[in-house]
Amino acid sequence: MHTAFPAPRLSRQVTASLLLLLSAGLAVLPACASAERAEAGAGAPAKDQAATTTAQPATSAQKAEVQKSGDPIVAMGYSLRWIGFAPIPSGARLVNLVSVGNDLLVADDNRGGLALISASSGEVRWARSLASSSTKFMNHFLASGGLVSVTGSSASLLNIDTGLDVFGQTKGTPIRQQMNRLPATPPLLQDGRIVYATFDGHIVGQALGTGLKLWESRVTGGITTPPIAMGPNVIGVLSDSGNVAIIETATGTSLRTASIFAGSEGPMASAGDTLFIASRDQSVYAIGVRDGLRWRVRTDRELRDGLAYHDGRVYVSVPGVGLAALDAATGKRIWAAQGVDGTVIGIRAGTLIVWNGSTITSVDADGAVIDRRELGSALKVRTDSFVDGSVYISDDAGQIRKYSPR
């Protein structure tokens, strides 16, 4: 089934003036930031050693100051919960902030540092140096009663309470599970298996704990788009050259393959047995496990943003059209919010939150723009749940703000 985009219609917009760079708001707590760093230590976290810091919840006065300053996240229906710092070394930068569940956040930096943070209070439970400054963290998740942190070469199982290596050490060197191949994408955890893709098109499943390679599959072309979970023991994979594979991760069996004309710049989405792709070949695809291609929507330009699925709709940014809502079953366009680009990162009380790396926009359920604020490219915005989740904003220096839905 093939659908073409008609000419865009104008949506009503109530666009706020760009009064506040959130970096101005970051100056609200200089004293707290200094205290947090002092507690954590001005230098690098102690190697292979646990550490804790004092939590810095936002006070009533600080919340009032944020409200007064016109904080864009507060304006979108959220309340400032706390402001804190990941204890990263001087000169390092915060790279990832990952919600791993069980009220826990993991922060990592570009010098190999790692910190476990309470999501409810902002308290740093421990911090440590896990890897060298040249090592890149790929992902973090909870498994086997601990925290699994994966780099390009190995996976570490860490004690939740102390941050120390569960596997122990040999002559002072931590015992870590080696990766069978170099991951190119964040590994997924699938029923006790670490599953990941490589730059040369391999998809590998290996046992967590032993590191034993359980299976290996391959598609034509390298893989830089992160594979996506489609349910228990099923993932969707897309190569940079447009080869699609839906794989059963217990055995590595391919359940469905397909070919499109290019890969994707942004993340894929899934709903049940359907994989959704926004491709550089100017098309949006829906591919089913049982029946292959379900529909294709052609556009006039390459698609550079990821897409999102929620409640029967696929949301995708289309250059020249705006943010489009498509019927997930047919690909038919429901509406388009002209001038809005980026990826939908969450929904708050039915309102879409769209982030493009520098601007955050809220769009109502009918495609009308409610608010748009420029935050700047120095900040990162994340949510811990797609529907009515909390919003986290962080900067390279390690400051983190948590906002919860009001």
Side-chain angles (χ1 to χ4, degrees), residues 105-131:
L105 303 170
V106 178
D108 65 57
D109 63 54
N110 65 335
R111 299 282 184 86
L114 194 69
L116 189 70
I117 301 171
S118 166
S120 60
S121 68
E123 177 183 4
V124 178
R125 296 180 54 172
W126 50 257
R128 61 169 293 186
S129 178
L130 186 68

Side-chain angles (χ1 to χ4, degrees), residues 26-396:
L26 293 179
V28 171
L29 275 184
C32 291
S34 298
E36 188 78 21
R37 281 175 163 162
E39 289 279 355
K47 184 173 179 62
D48 294 333
Q49 190 171 2
T52 60
T53 69
T54 303
Q56 297 292 343
T59 66
S60 298
Q62 290 155 2
K63 291 181 180 180
E65 179 65 26
V66 167
Q67 184 77 37
K68 181 180 177 181
S69 69
D71 187 301
I73 310 303
V74 171
M76 290 181 177
Y78 293 83
S79 176
L80 178 63
R81 187 74 175 272
W82 50 257
I83 306 174
F85 253 91
I88 62 176
S90 177
R93 61 180 176 82
L94 180 67
V95 177
N96 296 306
L97 183 66
V98 181
S99 174
V100 295
N102 287 3
D103 187 41
L104 296 172
L105 303 170
V106 178
D108 65 57
D109 63 54
N110 65 335
R111 299 282 184 86
L114 194 69
L116 189 70
I117 301 171
S118 166
S120 60
S121 68
E123 177 183 4
V124 178
R125 296 180 54 172
W126 50 257
R128 61 169 293 186
S129 178
L130 186 68
S132 68
S133 59
S134 61
T135 300
K136 177 182 178 182
F137 288 102
M138 303 298 294
N139 205 2
H140 312 279
F141 40 79
L142 298 180
S144 300
L147 173 68
V148 178
S149 289
V150 184
T151 68
S153 61
S154 65
S156 300
L157 179 59
L158 307 177
N159 185 293
I160 288 291
D161 296 322
T162 65
L164 300 180
D165 294 271
V166 171
F167 297 142
Q169 298 186 355
T170 299
K171 296 181 179 180
T173 301
I175 300 172
R176 293 170 183 169
Q177 175 181 322
Q178 298 303 303
M179 308 304 288
N180 285 272
R181 290 183 177 270
L182 180 67
T185 62
L188 299 172
L189 180 66
Q190 292 267 299
D191 194 22
R193 294 175 291 274
I194 298 177
V195 181
Y196 57 92
T198 71
F199 289 107
D200 57 357
H202 291 266
I203 306 98
V204 180
Q206 67 181 67
L208 177 63
T210 65
L212 177 68
K213 184 169 72 174
L214 302 174
W215 54 264
E216 185 169 324
S217 185
R218 191 173 187 181
V219 296
T220 301
I223 303 171
T224 56
T225 299
I228 185 172
M230 297 180 65
N233 300 323
V234 179
I235 62 170
V237 178
L238 172 66
S239 77
D240 296 343
S241 58
N243 289 282
V244 180
I246 298 176
I247 297 172
E248 191 272 318
T249 59
T251 62
T253 302
S254 179
L255 304 177
R256 170 65 58 181
T257 60
S259 293
I260 58 178
F261 298 97
S264 174
E265 289 288 317
M268 300 180 288
S270 69
D273 65 349
T274 308
L275 181 67
F276 301 103
I277 301 169
S279 173
R280 294 194 310 273
D281 71 8
Q282 305 181 4
S283 297
V284 185
Y285 294 90
I287 298 173
V289 174
R290 298 187 306 275
D291 46 5
L293 181 66
R294 292 183 174 168
W295 49 259
R296 175 186 182 186
V297 173
R298 300 175 186 270
T299 73
D300 293 333
R301 304 182 196 176
E302 290 187 5
L303 302 177
R304 295 290 181 176
D305 292 303
L307 39 67
Y309 168 87
H310 177 66
D311 197 20
R313 294 184 178 185
V314 175
Y315 299 100
V316 59
S317 176
V318 180
V321 173
L323 180 73
L326 309 180
D327 185 303
T330 65
K332 181 180 178 180
R333 196 178 86 181
I334 301 169
W335 52 253
Q338 189 178 33
V340 178
D341 66 317
T343 302
V344 177
I345 61 172
I347 293 180
R348 165 71 182 115
T351 296
L352 307 178
I353 307 298
V354 187
W355 173 244
N356 69 359
S358 62
T359 302
I360 192 164
T361 306
S362 55
V363 180
D364 74 15
D366 296 319
V369 175
I370 300 171
D371 197 6
R372 179 183 290 132
R373 303 293 182 102
E374 177 71 28
L375 302 187
S377 58
L379 301 174
K380 296 181 175 67
V381 180
R382 307 163 176 85
T383 57
D384 59 11
S385 177
F386 190 79
V387 179
D388 293 330
S390 294
V391 174
Y392 297 89
I393 294 186
S394 60
D395 63 12
D396 287 349

